[in-house]
Amino acid sequence: MIASHPFQFFLWSVYPYLMLGSFVFGTIIRFAFFHPTVTAKSSELLEKKTLMIGSIMFHVGIIGVFFGHIMGVLIPKSWTAALGITDEFYHHVIAVPAGAFFGILATVGVYILCFRRFHDHRVFHASSTGDLLVIVALTAEITLGMLSSFVSGPLNPSFNYRDTLAVWARQIFMFHPDFRLMLQTPLLYKCHVIFGFMIFGAFPYTRLVHALALPWQYVYRRFIVYRRRPQI
């Protein structure tokens, strides 16, 4: 079976580990040896209004999408069934409405940020090549995700990602992914997964790594007191 699908075997049994390995070891090296670079250069002083709108929508949306992926991919269908949640109820009442809400938020937000990054000449000229590639990659990945869920899904009614793609994803963490589960997966889903792993692989070497740098010092630091300068 493997001999007849060598590329598919590499794509679904080797490539994920290469990208996850890059994510783990790259992040460790970045924080251990290049910690001062773990930051995201702000362009707020150059343009604030569009940044605030796009950033809030994107971050709220992407957090919801992230936890939606955790629930839909990493939680087996048998677990939700044991709670009395049928697959139809899960799909039509939980997954689709929540996915649409947070997905639209993330999509509109990232499109606003992408437009701002390229359209505002001051922001564009202050951006590095990495900044531009990151926003384009995020825009493409979120677009692929929305197209997978709301275009490819309805066009392939017999496909159930919880019986194929989700099972394969969980098997990755058990170190025996069955690449055959991905052979009949619609193309848009495949592109979404491939591109997503690519972003994970590049994560430690881009501005995205700042998402892991939680500002714990704000929890225990002393309050900063600001005083008005006395009028002379």
Side-chain angles (χ1 to χ4, degrees):
M1 184 67 176
I2 295 176
S4 59
H5 297 282
F7 179 69
Q8 296 288 341
F9 175 78
F10 170 81
L11 205 56
W12 309 117
S13 297
V14 179
Y15 171 74
Y17 291 109
L18 294 177
M19 296 299 101
L20 290 175
S22 175
F23 172 81
V24 173
F25 292 107
T27 300
I28 293 173
I29 293 172
R30 181 78 179 268
F31 275 85
F33 300 102
F34 304 96
H35 194 274
T37 68
V38 180
T39 182
K41 185 174 62 176
S42 176
S43 59
E44 182 179 345
L45 293 177
L46 302 177
E47 194 283 324
K48 185 175 182 179
K49 183 177 180 180
T50 306
L51 174 65
M52 289 296 101
I53 296 173
S55 182
I56 292 173
M57 293 183 71
F58 169 73
H59 283 92
V60 171
I62 207 67
I63 290 172
V65 168
F66 173 78
F67 284 105
H69 278 62
I70 294 295
M71 182 175 179
V73 175
L74 297 185
I75 297 179
K77 186 166 69 172
S78 59
W79 290 18
T80 52
L83 296 174
I85 302 174
T86 65
D87 200 42
E88 183 175 347
F89 180 86
Y90 170 86
H91 182 74
H92 294 290
V93 179
I94 300 177
V96 172
F101 175 75
F102 288 110
I104 290 172
L105 270 182
T107 302
V108 175
V110 80
Y111 271 74
I112 290 174
L113 294 177
C114 188
F115 177 80
R116 171 184 178 272
R117 180 70 62 176
F118 283 91
H119 183 261
D120 189 298
H121 70 278
R122 293 192 302 170
V123 175
F124 177 79
H125 288 295
S127 303
S128 66
T129 301
D131 294 336
L132 300 177
L133 290 176
V134 163
I135 194 63
V136 169
L138 288 175
T139 303
E141 174 64 0
I142 293 173
T143 301
L144 285 170
M146 293 295 286
L147 290 175
S148 299
S149 298
F150 301 105
V151 176
S152 186
L155 291 177
N156 298 273
S158 61
F159 172 72
N160 189 334
Y161 76 91
R162 300 188 79 195
D163 294 325
T164 53
L165 193 156
V167 176
W168 167 82
R170 292 194 298 274
Q171 290 175 347
I172 290 176
F173 297 98
M174 295 181 236
F175 300 101
H176 60 84
D178 184 359
F179 75 98
R180 292 169 294 186
L181 291 170
M182 295 297 292
L183 295 181
Q184 302 304 318
T185 299
L187 180 61
L188 283 174
Y189 281 93
K190 290 182 178 179
C191 292
H192 181 55
V193 172
I194 292 170
F195 215 78
F197 273 112
M198 185 180 71
I199 291 176
F200 266 104
F203 188 94
Y205 321 107
T206 67
R207 64 187 286 136
L208 293 175
V209 75
H210 81 277
L212 301 178
L214 296 177
W216 295 112
Q217 65 271 21
Y218 286 99
V219 176
Y220 56 80
R221 78 174 187 178
R222 297 177 63 184
F223 289 105
I224 299 176
V225 178
Y226 292 92
R227 293 184 174 90
R228 183 185 299 274
R229 182 186 298 272
Q231 298 294 328
I232 299 176

